[in-house]
């Protein structure tokens, strides 16, 4: 639900109720994870997804029912173990073979606790919300199938991870847009105010004009932070990379050729920079990218791969499940 917070708040602030469907338990192969949500807004508009299309039609029908009655419902989707059961084969299910439980509930503008949690999440603040899978939850009665008594699902939104982009070049415009779509709080840093403008970087949360190495020292950096150096400027690139690595940024990448990277590596050695093997340069996964938009995809794909520890290869060349997680509600 929290990833949909801005859209939900727009409807709630206008005085309209919304219906939210949240995956509270998931086993086996599935395209999304526990906590993923779909919402039905006023006028029947659907935002978000639970399964990438497998069960959304059935959930829309349930959402219409919940909107009218106010009674929350816990739905189960998945193939039955009996291959001869025709009804089970054609029932809504995850075609990849997984199983999912989805809590569908109505949220009204006067549900103060929920609205407050949504506001905190939309502002980037950490927040959590407990949902009882037994009656009552959020002031509504929940129909829970047998065997599900006593469970509680806690939905949480952490502080948004930060992506610090150094260099207000055209590649940075595309990268900022891509990182923002992926949920990063984006800061763009450049010493040239003529290039670092609101018009060029509307998706950035912060635009800071200043000497990049000094600016970076004043910004919060941790293991969730991605520092992407696109400036290609010998005056400060090495100092920025040195600072990012010393402070433990989860991802540190720099644009440039292999020759440029070799020269930078010598500068980093002279600075005594630790963990230089963590520097991703040349930057991005090898997908044949050339345009700024394609390069942005390659970079953010590498950021995700580094964060998850994935190899970044083609799925067709691998084996085993393509979705690694197997999570159930506690």
């Amino acid at each position: 639900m929290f990833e949909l917070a801005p859209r939900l708040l727009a409807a709630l602030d206008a005085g309209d109720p919304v219906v939210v469907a949240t995956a509270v338990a998931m086993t086996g192969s599935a395209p999304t994870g526990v906590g993923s949500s779909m919402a039905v807004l006023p006028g029947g508009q659907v935002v978000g997804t639970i399964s990438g299309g497998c069960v959304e039609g059935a959930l829309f029908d349930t959402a219409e029912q919940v909107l009218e009655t106010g009674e929350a419902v816990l739905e189960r989707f998945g193939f039955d173990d009996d291959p001869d059961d025709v009804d089970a084969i054609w029932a809504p299910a995850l075609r990849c073979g997984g199983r999912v439980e989805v809590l569908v509930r109505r949220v009204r503008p006067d549900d103060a606790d929920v609205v407050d949690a949504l506001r905190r999440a939309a502002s980037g603040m950490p927040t959590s919300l407990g949902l009882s899978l037994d009656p009552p939850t959020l002031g509504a009665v929940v129909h829970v199938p047998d065997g599900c008594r006593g469970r509680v699902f806690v939905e949480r939104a952490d502080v948004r991870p930060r992506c610090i982009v150094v260099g207000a070049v055209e590649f940075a415009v595309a990268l900022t847009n891509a990182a923002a779509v992926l949920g990063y709080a984006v800061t763009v840093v450049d010493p040239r105010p003529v290039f670092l403008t609101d018009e060029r970087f509307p998706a950035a949360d912060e635009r800071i004009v200043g000497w990049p190495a000094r600016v970076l020292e004043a910004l919060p950096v941790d293991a969730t932070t991605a520092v992407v150096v696109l400036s290609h400027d010998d005056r400060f690139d090495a100092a920025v990379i040195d600072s990012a690595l010393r402070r433990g940024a989860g991802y540190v990448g720099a644009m440039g050729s292999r020759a440029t990277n070799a020269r930078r590596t010598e500068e980093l050695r002279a600075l005594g920079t630790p963990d230089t093997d963590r520097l991703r340069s040349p930057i991005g996964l090898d997908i044949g990218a050339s345009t700024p938009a394609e390069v942005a995809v390659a970079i953010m794909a590498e950021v995700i791969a580094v964060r998850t520890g994935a190899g970044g290869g083609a799925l067709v060349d691998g084996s085993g499940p393509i979705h690694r997680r197997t999570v159930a509600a506690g």
Side-chain angles (χ1 to χ4, degrees), residues 1-6 34-35 117-129 154-162 182-185 205 222-225 307:
M1 176 176 68
F2 289 139
E3 73 271 19
L4 304 176
V34 170
L118 287 169
R119 293 199 193 285
R120 289 174 60 85
S123 68
M125 298 174 63
T127 189
S128 62
L129 188 66
V154 178
E155 189 170 6
R156 187 180 72 187
D158 294 322
V159 176
R160 291 167 64 197
R162 180 183 292 272
L182 291 171
Y184 283 82
D205 295 83
D222 60 25
T224 69
T225 305
R307 186 192 74 214

Side-chain angles (χ1 to χ4, degrees), residues 232-245:
H232 211 278
D233 193 317
D234 289 340
R235 295 175 298 169
F236 51 72
D237 279 4
V240 169
I241 295 167
D242 176 75
S243 176
L245 290 171

Side-chain angles (χ1 to χ4, degrees), residues 168-255:
V169 297
E170 196 62 25
F171 288 99
V173 175
L175 181 69
T176 299
N177 294 335
V181 167
L182 291 171
Y184 283 82
V186 184
T187 299
V188 186
V189 183
D190 195 287
R192 304 164 300 173
V194 68
F195 292 105
L196 189 51
T197 63
D198 294 354
E199 291 74 20
R200 290 191 75 210
F201 293 94
D205 295 83
E206 292 182 299
R207 290 162 289 274
I208 302 178
V209 176
W211 199 250
R214 289 196 291 269
V215 171
L216 184 62
E217 286 298 326
L219 292 174
V221 172
D222 60 25
T224 69
T225 305
V227 178
V228 183
V229 181
L230 304 180
S231 43
H232 211 278
D233 193 317
D234 289 340
R235 295 175 298 169
F236 51 72
D237 279 4
V240 169
I241 295 167
D242 176 75
S243 176
L245 290 171
R246 287 182 187 275
R247 299 181 65 195
Y251 174 92
V252 183
M255 180 171 280

Side-chain angles (χ1 to χ4, degrees), residues 21-323:
T22 301
V24 296
M26 195 171 287
T27 57
S29 184
T32 59
V34 170
S36 58
S37 294
M38 159 188 155
V40 179
L41 305 180
Q45 182 185 10
V46 176
V47 294
T49 186
I50 296 292
S51 67
C54 298
V55 304
E56 275 72 4
L59 284 173
F60 183 83
D61 293 338
T62 300
E64 290 188 313
Q65 167 195 329
V66 171
L67 179 63
E68 180 178 348
T69 66
E71 181 179 335
V73 175
L74 187 65
E75 294 276 26
R76 281 175 167 172
F77 299 101
F79 285 113
D80 194 277
D81 292 333
D82 183 0
D84 297 324
D85 187 340
V86 175
D87 290 334
I89 292 172
W90 289 102
L94 301 181
R95 298 303 171 191
C96 47
R99 297 184 180 215
V100 61
E101 290 179 271
V102 183
L103 180 65
V104 187
R105 77 269 194 199
R106 185 178 68 182
V107 180
R108 295 160 47 95
D110 57 358
D111 290 329
D113 290 344
V114 184
V115 173
D116 179 64
L118 287 169
R119 293 199 193 285
R120 289 174 60 85
S123 68
M125 298 174 63
T127 189
S128 62
L129 188 66
L131 307 175
S132 172
L133 302 189
D134 288 336
T137 180
L138 303 180
V141 176
V142 185
H143 169 67
V144 184
D146 291 339
C148 294
R149 302 294 177 182
R151 297 189 305 162
V152 174
F153 174 75
V154 178
E155 189 170 6
R156 187 180 72 187
D158 294 322
V159 176
R160 291 167 64 197
R162 180 183 292 272
C163 180
I164 302 171
V165 181
V166 178
V169 297
E170 196 62 25
F171 288 99
V173 175
L175 181 69
T176 299
N177 294 335
V181 167
L182 291 171
Y184 283 82
V186 184
T187 299
V188 186
V189 183
D190 195 287
R192 304 164 300 173
V194 68
F195 292 105
L196 189 51
T197 63
D198 294 354
E199 291 74 20
R200 290 191 75 210
F201 293 94
D205 295 83
E206 292 182 299
R207 290 162 289 274
I208 302 178
V209 176
W211 199 250
R214 289 196 291 269
V215 171
L216 184 62
E217 286 298 326
L219 292 174
V221 172
D222 60 25
T224 69
T225 305
V227 178
V228 183
V229 181
L230 304 180
S231 43
H232 211 278
D233 193 317
D234 289 340
R235 295 175 298 169
F236 51 72
D237 279 4
V240 169
I241 295 167
D242 176 75
S243 176
L245 290 171
R246 287 182 187 275
R247 299 181 65 195
Y251 174 92
V252 183
M255 180 171 280
S257 65
R258 297 188 192 282
T260 298
N261 182 55
R263 186 175 67 252
R264 281 201 198 111
T265 300
E266 288 302 316
E267 292 183 61
L268 294 173
R269 287 198 186 101
L271 291 171
T273 305
D275 301 326
T276 54
D277 57 323
R278 292 203 300 113
L279 173 62
R280 314 293 291 199
S281 185
I283 197 169
L285 297 186
D286 183 7
I287 60 172
S290 59
T291 67
E294 291 172 345
V295 170
V297 170
I299 293 172
M300 291 313 299
E302 185 174 59
V303 170
I304 294 170
V306 169
R307 186 192 74 214
T308 62
L315 288 172
V316 71
D317 295 328
S319 60
I322 62 174
H323 303 294

